[in-house]
Amino acid sequence: MKTILTTGSNGLLGQKITEKVLLEGRVNLIATSVGVNRYPVKEGYEYAEMDILKPEQVKEVIEKYRPDAVIHTAAMTNVDTCEANKELCHRLNVDAVGTLLSMCEEKNIQLIHLSTDFVFDGLDGPYKEEDAVNPVSYYGKSKVLAEELIKKSNANCAILRTILVYGISNDMSRSNIVLWAKGVLEKASPINVVNDQWRMPTLAEDLAEACLLAVEKDAKGIYHISGKDYMSIADLVRKVAGYWKLDDSFINEISSASLNQAAKRPVKTGFVLDKAIKDLGYNPHSFEEGLLILEQQMDKAN
């Protein structure tokens, strides 16, 4: 059985990988993150504190555990914060990848790197893996720079690009679009939602499964991983309202330009999933199925 090490294990995707491993036992897991372990179950895997901005600590942890694969989920993903603090964004999203790459190359460890639909300009989605990148934000640019480092490396790597990940986990440090929309509409508060951006939202469980499949299949190259349903952000929020029977009259559709955000967003992304389905056996849930899974998890938690 392979041993995998995850970075960012306290985040949504990191926790979903831990959950999956504990449930299915497909690999041995070393979970790593900054600070204490926030996952409620502490047995059945190892936890090590690891800050990806500290190369010596990264080296120490990887040399101690000697994993077969590293799944790199840790990143700075707030698009406007990346635009405002380019230096920190570069350190977290580019330099840290360089640190992991050099270790993986030296120790012959597979690297599964998480990237984003924001590497594209959104003028011609849905995108295939080989389509030309052209980021419109510094976040997107940082992820392109990381991808370029990986392509130049001799390490065994797979890049999994994903879109708008949603889900629920223990002690979440930040929300996501589904939980945010549900929370605002439950308070019967007005909600401004853009109607001129299109995405394929990704259930966190599906992305976690894709990460494990990439390890098991020893995947190399770029894979597009998302949900199967293509929709505008406004449609997404209306689907959330419909699923939980919330009043959609509070939804106020607006244009992206009216938001005055620091960073530009691509208009239409979305992915062609054929390669991941064929090569990895990836089989994502529909958006409706994803909402049902979330509802079941919320019921269980209450």
Side-chain angles (χ1 to χ4, degrees):
M1 200 153 55
K2 287 185 177 180
T3 296
I4 62 163
L5 182 146
T6 55
T7 69
S9 68
N10 281 333
L12 175 58
L13 175 58
Q15 290 200 32
K16 293 301 179 187
I17 293 171
T18 302
E19 193 175 273
K20 226 170 204 315
V21 169
L22 291 179
L23 199 64
E24 300 168 8
R26 289 150 63 178
V27 292
N28 297 312
L29 174 66
I30 318 299
T32 76
S33 205
V34 175
V36 297
N37 184 9
R38 294 210 300 266
Y39 192 73
V41 181
K42 312 297 181 195
E43 290 88 39
Y45 65 102
E46 297 263 356
Y47 179 81
E49 196 171 326
M50 188 176 86
D51 184 342
I52 58 168
L53 292 181
K54 295 178 178 170
E56 284 308 308
Q57 195 178 43
V58 172
K59 187 171 189 283
E60 192 182 304
V61 171
I62 286 177
E63 284 188 337
K64 178 180 176 181
Y65 291 104
R66 298 288 176 120
D68 299 294
V70 170
I71 301 176
H72 180 42
T73 83
M76 186 168 173
T77 57
N78 184 302
V79 187
D80 293 323
T81 307
C82 288
E83 207 68 30
N85 196 339
K86 294 184 174 74
E87 187 190 346
L88 181 60
C89 173
H90 195 280
R91 286 177 64 212
L92 278 160
N93 290 358
V94 187
D95 296 344
V97 175
T99 301
L100 286 168
L101 265 176
S102 62
M103 287 301 298
C104 289
E105 204 170 332
E106 184 190 323
K107 308 286 181 193
N108 195 25
I109 297 165
Q110 183 192 20
L111 178 66
I112 309 295
H113 172 72
L114 273 297
S115 192
T116 173
D117 57 326
F118 277 43
V119 299
F120 298 111
D121 57 21
L123 300 179
D124 198 25
Y127 291 94
K128 292 180 179 176
E129 285 83 355
E130 60 272 18
D131 287 335
V133 297
N134 186 30
V136 295
S137 65
Y138 193 77
Y139 167 65
K141 187 179 179 185
S142 74
K143 296 304 249 180
V144 168
L145 290 170
E147 288 189 8
E148 285 171 355
L149 280 182
I150 289 166
K151 285 173 191 170
K152 286 180 198 155
S153 157
N154 292 319
N156 173 16
C157 300
I159 295 166
L160 306 188
R161 293 181 183 143
T162 193
I163 306 174
L164 208 59
V165 181
Y166 68 94
I168 190 162
S169 64
N170 188 67
D171 191 17
M172 285 175 71
S173 57
R174 58 178 179 262
S175 188
N176 52 69
I177 190 157
V178 171
L179 299 183
W180 168 73
K182 180 176 180 284
V184 175
L185 291 169
E186 278 174 340
K187 292 180 186 135
S189 300
I191 183 170
N192 288 338
V193 190
V194 294
N195 59 8
D196 55 1
Q197 290 179 28
W198 283 260
R199 302 286 184 263
M200 288 167 74
T202 310
L203 180 67
E205 277 80 0
D206 286 342
L207 185 54
E209 174 65 12
C211 291
L212 293 177
L213 286 169
V215 172
E216 288 166 352
K217 307 267 184 183
D218 200 26
K220 295 175 181 65
I222 300 172
Y223 289 89
H224 282 178
I225 304 292
S226 72
K228 56 171 75 162
D229 299 320
Y230 190 61
M231 65 192 81
S232 73
I233 304 290
D235 284 343
L236 185 160
V237 173
R238 289 194 184 282
K239 285 176 191 287
V240 169
Y243 185 85
W244 276 287
K245 298 179 175 56
L246 301 167
D247 186 350
D248 67 1
S249 68
F250 288 101
I251 298 169
N252 179 31
E253 295 194 19
I254 58 169
S255 70
S256 302
S258 67
L259 279 177
N260 249 348
Q261 291 168 307
K264 197 177 170 191
R265 270 73 167 166
V267 178
K268 292 184 178 182
T269 63
F271 287 156
V272 176
L273 301 174
D274 298 358
K275 184 183 176 189
I277 290 165
K278 181 173 172 281
D279 292 4
L280 303 179
Y282 179 61
N283 183 25
H285 292 85
S286 70
F287 190 58
E288 285 283 318
E289 289 167 343
L291 297 182
L292 172 63
I293 287 167
L294 243 70
E295 184 181 37
Q296 289 167 344
Q297 289 169 349
M298 288 169 184
D299 289 347
K300 198 175 166 188
N302 289 335

